[in-house]
mmCIF file of all heavy atoms in Angstrom:
data_model
loop_
_atom_site.group_PDB
_atom_site.id
_atom_site.type_symbol
_atom_site.label_atom_id
_atom_site.label_comp_id
_atom_site.label_asym_id
_atom_site.label_seq_id
_atom_site.Cartn_x
_atom_site.Cartn_y
_atom_site.Cartn_z
ATOM 1 N N VAL A 1 0.882 -7.279 -1.536
ATOM 2 C CA VAL A 1 -0.331 -8.085 -1.890
ATOM 3 C C VAL A 1 -1.602 -7.239 -1.568
ATOM 4 O O VAL A 1 -2.495 -7.151 -2.320
ATOM 5 C CB VAL A 1 -0.357 -9.481 -1.228
ATOM 6 C CG1 VAL A 1 -1.652 -10.174 -1.486
ATOM 7 C CG2 VAL A 1 0.812 -10.321 -1.658
ATOM 8 N N GLU A 2 -1.628 -6.639 -0.387
ATOM 9 C CA GLU A 2 -2.757 -5.904 0.037
ATOM 10 C C GLU A 2 -2.942 -4.674 -0.862
ATOM 11 O O GLU A 2 -4.061 -4.294 -1.218
ATOM 12 C CB GLU A 2 -2.656 -5.493 1.485
ATOM 13 C CG GLU A 2 -3.924 -4.767 1.978
ATOM 14 C CD GLU A 2 -3.949 -4.414 3.407
ATOM 15 O OE1 GLU A 2 -2.903 -3.781 3.825
ATOM 16 O OE2 GLU A 2 -4.980 -4.569 4.066
ATOM 17 N N LEU A 3 -1.810 -4.104 -1.277
ATOM 18 C CA LEU A 3 -1.849 -2.983 -2.204
ATOM 19 C C LEU A 3 -2.486 -3.366 -3.536
ATOM 20 O O LEU A 3 -3.325 -2.751 -4.114
ATOM 21 C CB LEU A 3 -0.509 -2.358 -2.364
ATOM 22 C CG LEU A 3 -0.351 -1.160 -3.358
ATOM 23 C CD1 LEU A 3 -1.324 -0.045 -3.021
ATOM 24 C CD2 LEU A 3 1.077 -0.623 -3.323
ATOM 25 N N ALA A 4 -2.041 -4.552 -4.090
ATOM 26 C CA ALA A 4 -2.576 -5.095 -5.313
ATOM 27 C C ALA A 4 -4.038 -5.387 -5.183
ATOM 28 O O ALA A 4 -4.863 -5.046 -6.109
ATOM 29 C CB ALA A 4 -1.877 -6.376 -5.625
ATOM 30 N N ARG A 5 -4.497 -5.890 -4.013
ATOM 31 C CA ARG A 5 -5.926 -6.185 -3.821
ATOM 32 C C ARG A 5 -6.758 -4.871 -3.826
ATOM 33 O O ARG A 5 -7.784 -4.815 -4.428
ATOM 34 C CB ARG A 5 -6.164 -6.949 -2.536
ATOM 35 C CG ARG A 5 -7.559 -7.401 -2.373
ATOM 36 C CD ARG A 5 -7.813 -8.195 -1.156
ATOM 37 N NE ARG A 5 -7.613 -7.440 0.049
ATOM 38 C CZ ARG A 5 -7.701 -7.918 1.299
ATOM 39 N NH1 ARG A 5 -8.044 -9.171 1.468
ATOM 40 N NH2 ARG A 5 -7.480 -7.128 2.355
ATOM 41 N N ALA A 6 -6.217 -3.838 -3.181
ATOM 42 C CA ALA A 6 -6.977 -2.536 -3.180
ATOM 43 C C ALA A 6 -7.078 -1.986 -4.636
ATOM 44 O O ALA A 6 -8.085 -1.435 -5.019
ATOM 45 C CB ALA A 6 -6.220 -1.589 -2.299
ATOM 46 N N LEU A 7 -5.963 -2.150 -5.385
ATOM 47 C CA LEU A 7 -6.018 -1.674 -6.739
ATOM 48 C C LEU A 7 -6.920 -2.477 -7.671
ATOM 49 O O LEU A 7 -7.403 -1.982 -8.787
ATOM 50 C CB LEU A 7 -4.569 -1.644 -7.255
ATOM 51 C CG LEU A 7 -3.556 -0.702 -6.658
ATOM 52 C CD1 LEU A 7 -2.222 -0.930 -7.208
ATOM 53 C CD2 LEU A 7 -3.960 0.751 -6.973
ATOM 54 N N ALA A 8 -7.225 -3.702 -7.352
ATOM 55 C CA ALA A 8 -8.065 -4.522 -8.151
ATOM 56 C C ALA A 8 -9.459 -4.001 -8.349
ATOM 57 O O ALA A 8 -10.169 -4.298 -9.378
ATOM 58 C CB ALA A 8 -8.102 -5.972 -7.597
ATOM 59 N N ALA A 9 -9.933 -3.132 -7.389
ATOM 60 C CA ALA A 9 -11.249 -2.577 -7.513
ATOM 61 C C ALA A 9 -11.272 -1.402 -8.460
ATOM 62 O O ALA A 9 -12.287 -0.746 -8.603
ATOM 63 C CB ALA A 9 -11.745 -2.149 -6.168
ATOM 64 N N GLU A 10 -10.060 -1.094 -9.063
ATOM 65 C CA GLU A 10 -9.911 0.062 -9.963
ATOM 66 C C GLU A 10 -10.308 1.378 -9.318
ATOM 67 O O GLU A 10 -11.191 2.128 -9.933
ATOM 68 C CB GLU A 10 -10.699 -0.211 -11.267
ATOM 69 C CG GLU A 10 -10.181 -1.414 -12.052
ATOM 70 C CD GLU A 10 -10.952 -1.694 -13.337
ATOM 71 O OE1 GLU A 10 -11.713 -0.814 -13.737
ATOM 72 O OE2 GLU A 10 -10.787 -2.787 -13.910
ATOM 73 N N PRO A 11 -9.809 1.724 -8.195
ATOM 74 C CA PRO A 11 -10.199 3.017 -7.537
ATOM 75 C C PRO A 11 -9.693 4.194 -8.295
ATOM 76 O O PRO A 11 -8.608 4.131 -8.975
ATOM 77 C CB PRO A 11 -9.672 2.874 -6.107
ATOM 78 C CG PRO A 11 -8.398 2.065 -6.378
ATOM 79 C CD PRO A 11 -8.751 1.060 -7.399
ATOM 80 N N SER A 12 -10.302 5.318 -8.160
ATOM 81 C CA SER A 12 -9.786 6.589 -8.600
ATOM 82 C C SER A 12 -9.061 7.326 -7.376
ATOM 83 O O SER A 12 -8.274 8.187 -7.658
ATOM 84 C CB SER A 12 -10.879 7.445 -9.240
ATOM 85 O OG SER A 12 -11.953 7.583 -8.450
ATOM 86 N N LEU A 13 -9.517 6.964 -6.196
ATOM 87 C CA LEU A 13 -8.825 7.451 -4.983
ATOM 88 C C LEU A 13 -8.380 6.320 -4.185
ATOM 89 O O LEU A 13 -9.160 5.407 -3.800
ATOM 90 C CB LEU A 13 -9.813 8.315 -4.149
ATOM 91 C CG LEU A 13 -9.357 8.823 -2.795
ATOM 92 C CD1 LEU A 13 -8.148 9.777 -2.997
ATOM 93 C CD2 LEU A 13 -10.436 9.417 -1.995
ATOM 94 N N LEU A 14 -7.076 6.258 -3.884
ATOM 95 C CA LEU A 14 -6.488 5.160 -3.128
ATOM 96 C C LEU A 14 -6.053 5.737 -1.787
ATOM 97 O O LEU A 14 -5.333 6.644 -1.635
ATOM 98 C CB LEU A 14 -5.180 4.600 -3.852
ATOM 99 C CG LEU A 14 -4.493 3.508 -3.167
ATOM 100 C CD1 LEU A 14 -5.363 2.244 -2.978
ATOM 101 C CD2 LEU A 14 -3.251 3.131 -3.918
ATOM 102 N N LEU A 15 -6.612 5.116 -0.697
ATOM 103 C CA LEU A 15 -6.272 5.491 0.672
ATOM 104 C C LEU A 15 -5.220 4.458 1.262
ATOM 105 O O LEU A 15 -5.554 3.330 1.337
ATOM 106 C CB LEU A 15 -7.560 5.478 1.574
ATOM 107 C CG LEU A 15 -8.800 6.221 1.086
ATOM 108 C CD1 LEU A 15 -9.924 6.027 2.016
ATOM 109 C CD2 LEU A 15 -8.457 7.714 0.942
ATOM 110 N N LEU A 16 -4.065 5.014 1.538
ATOM 111 C CA LEU A 16 -3.038 4.153 2.113
ATOM 112 C C LEU A 16 -2.843 4.449 3.585
ATOM 113 O O LEU A 16 -2.426 5.584 3.956
ATOM 114 C CB LEU A 16 -1.752 4.360 1.358
ATOM 115 C CG LEU A 16 -1.789 4.112 -0.167
ATOM 116 C CD1 LEU A 16 -0.355 4.462 -0.767
ATOM 117 C CD2 LEU A 16 -2.072 2.683 -0.415
ATOM 118 N N ASP A 17 -3.133 3.455 4.469
ATOM 119 C CA ASP A 17 -3.091 3.601 5.883
ATOM 120 C C ASP A 17 -1.749 3.048 6.398
ATOM 121 O O ASP A 17 -1.619 1.784 6.469
ATOM 122 C CB ASP A 17 -4.249 2.973 6.575
ATOM 123 C CG ASP A 17 -4.395 3.288 8.014
ATOM 124 O OD1 ASP A 17 -3.541 3.993 8.527
ATOM 125 O OD2 ASP A 17 -5.401 2.864 8.624
ATOM 126 N N GLU A 18 -0.835 3.831 6.724
ATOM 127 C CA GLU A 18 0.463 3.406 7.259
ATOM 128 C C GLU A 18 1.128 2.409 6.318
ATOM 129 O O GLU A 18 1.522 1.297 6.808
ATOM 130 C CB GLU A 18 0.358 2.867 8.635
ATOM 131 C CG GLU A 18 -0.199 3.899 9.663
ATOM 132 C CD GLU A 18 0.888 4.792 10.173
ATOM 133 O OE1 GLU A 18 2.034 4.773 9.752
ATOM 134 O OE2 GLU A 18 0.590 5.658 11.054
ATOM 135 N N PRO A 19 1.376 2.695 5.065
ATOM 136 C CA PRO A 19 1.925 1.650 4.122
ATOM 137 C C PRO A 19 3.326 1.298 4.520
ATOM 138 O O PRO A 19 3.872 0.197 4.128
ATOM 139 C CB PRO A 19 1.810 2.327 2.743
ATOM 140 C CG PRO A 19 1.828 3.785 3.019
ATOM 141 C CD PRO A 19 1.100 3.971 4.327
ATOM 142 N N ALA A 20 4.130 2.176 5.122
ATOM 143 C CA ALA A 20 5.549 1.833 5.469
ATOM 144 C C ALA A 20 5.746 1.202 6.821
ATOM 145 O O ALA A 20 6.808 0.865 7.206
ATOM 146 C CB ALA A 20 6.341 3.160 5.386
ATOM 147 N N SER A 21 4.620 1.056 7.545
ATOM 148 C CA SER A 21 4.698 0.366 8.876
ATOM 149 C C SER A 21 5.279 -0.939 8.794
ATOM 150 O O SER A 21 4.821 -1.834 8.039
ATOM 151 C CB SER A 21 3.283 0.345 9.553
ATOM 152 O OG SER A 21 3.319 -0.363 10.761
ATOM 153 N N GLY A 22 6.288 -1.216 9.601
ATOM 154 C CA GLY A 22 6.939 -2.566 9.609
ATOM 155 C C GLY A 22 7.941 -2.868 8.530
ATOM 156 O O GLY A 22 8.490 -3.970 8.474
ATOM 157 N N LEU A 23 8.170 -1.850 7.654
ATOM 158 C CA LEU A 23 9.108 -2.118 6.565
ATOM 159 C C LEU A 23 10.543 -1.590 6.920
ATOM 160 O O LEU A 23 10.626 -0.690 7.752
ATOM 161 C CB LEU A 23 8.684 -1.331 5.295
ATOM 162 C CG LEU A 23 7.328 -1.724 4.741
ATOM 163 C CD1 LEU A 23 7.046 -0.956 3.459
ATOM 164 C CD2 LEU A 23 7.147 -3.210 4.541
ATOM 165 N N ASN A 24 11.557 -2.200 6.373
ATOM 166 C CA ASN A 24 12.892 -1.771 6.575
ATOM 167 C C ASN A 24 13.268 -0.610 5.643
ATOM 168 O O ASN A 24 12.397 -0.237 4.812
ATOM 169 C CB ASN A 24 13.931 -2.824 6.439
ATOM 170 C CG ASN A 24 13.960 -3.458 5.094
ATOM 171 O OD1 ASN A 24 13.879 -2.741 4.129
ATOM 172 N ND2 ASN A 24 14.172 -4.788 5.027
ATOM 173 N N HIS A 25 14.419 0.032 5.852
ATOM 174 C CA HIS A 25 14.772 1.243 5.084
ATOM 175 C C HIS A 25 14.739 1.041 3.607
ATOM 176 O O HIS A 25 14.184 1.871 2.847
ATOM 177 C CB HIS A 25 16.169 1.691 5.519
ATOM 178 C CG HIS A 25 16.694 2.934 4.776
ATOM 179 N ND1 HIS A 25 16.155 4.192 5.094
ATOM 180 C CD2 HIS A 25 17.552 3.109 3.741
ATOM 181 C CE1 HIS A 25 16.725 5.125 4.311
ATOM 182 N NE2 HIS A 25 17.560 4.436 3.458
ATOM 183 N N GLU A 26 15.256 -0.116 3.137
ATOM 184 C CA GLU A 26 15.256 -0.407 1.732
ATOM 185 C C GLU A 26 13.884 -0.518 1.200
ATOM 186 O O GLU A 26 13.584 -0.031 0.133
ATOM 187 C CB GLU A 26 16.114 -1.684 1.374
ATOM 188 C CG GLU A 26 16.177 -1.976 -0.088
ATOM 189 C CD GLU A 26 17.003 -3.197 -0.356
ATOM 190 O OE1 GLU A 26 17.481 -3.870 0.647
ATOM 191 O OE2 GLU A 26 17.142 -3.633 -1.513
ATOM 192 N N GLU A 27 12.996 -1.262 1.954
ATOM 193 C CA GLU A 27 11.627 -1.459 1.516
ATOM 194 C C GLU A 27 10.840 -0.171 1.459
ATOM 195 O O GLU A 27 10.049 0.045 0.591
ATOM 196 C CB GLU A 27 10.947 -2.465 2.478
ATOM 197 C CG GLU A 27 11.410 -3.878 2.344
ATOM 198 C CD GLU A 27 10.930 -4.797 3.421
ATOM 199 O OE1 GLU A 27 10.616 -4.358 4.524
ATOM 200 O OE2 GLU A 27 10.752 -6.018 3.163
ATOM 201 N N VAL A 28 11.130 0.809 2.411
ATOM 202 C CA VAL A 28 10.481 2.073 2.332
ATOM 203 C C VAL A 28 10.851 2.829 1.175
ATOM 204 O O VAL A 28 10.001 3.474 0.536
ATOM 205 C CB VAL A 28 10.819 2.921 3.642
ATOM 206 C CG1 VAL A 28 10.284 4.302 3.550
ATOM 207 C CG2 VAL A 28 10.222 2.165 4.907
#
């Protein structure tokens, strides 16, 4: 959801801060 919200602003540069934090192996 947070990723979708960041994309809603139509960025040309997307900064992802620890996107895999808290995810399990399959989710990563």
Side-chain angles (χ1 to χ4, degrees):
V1 176
E2 187 177 44
L3 180 54
R5 188 178 64 180
L7 293 171
E10 299 181 11
S12 51
L13 174 64
L14 179 63
L15 308 176
L16 299 179
D17 191 355
E18 299 280 3
S21 174
L23 303 185
N24 62 38
H25 179 73
E26 182 181 0
E27 289 171 331
V28 171

